[in-house]
Amino acid sequence: MFRAPLVDRFSTNLLNLNVLGLEDFAGTPERGILLRHEALKRYFEAYEEELATPLSLGAESLTFRQLYRRQAERLARAFTDNEPYEPFRLPC
């Protein structure tokens, strides 16, 4: 549920802002593509910063880290208390 609002958006922004470029990727013998070590370090540093950046969700402002916890708690209540699970949806 967080792939499009966080991971895809974030990764695309890193490419569009030239934080990552073609030189940061390497091919593998299996025809895959990997981030080089130094680029991976930049990616995770920026990702940690992104997780801590507040996101306006209507009346509230939460970080993705807080949203992860909220969703984990909702899932736990669905299993333990038989409550309906409410997935995260990014407001339009």
Side-chain angles (χ1 to χ4, degrees), residues 24-79:
D24 293 316
F25 296 88
T28 68
E30 298 82 21
R31 300 182 59 134
I33 306 239
L34 299 174
L35 270 174
R36 296 182 188 277
H37 183 73
E38 288 302 315
L40 194 58
K41 286 172 40 179
R42 288 195 317 273
Y43 182 92
F44 282 119
E45 287 170 4
Y47 180 73
E48 284 297 322
E49 187 176 319
E50 186 73 14
L51 288 180
T53 302
L55 179 69
S56 178
L57 299 170
E60 41 181 7
S61 179
L62 298 170
T63 67
F64 273 105
R65 193 173 303 284
Q66 290 168 318
L67 287 169
Y68 285 169
R69 180 170 185 96
R70 176 189 280 181
Q71 289 311 119
E73 289 169 350
R74 285 180 177 173
L75 186 59
R77 282 194 304 273
F79 287 126

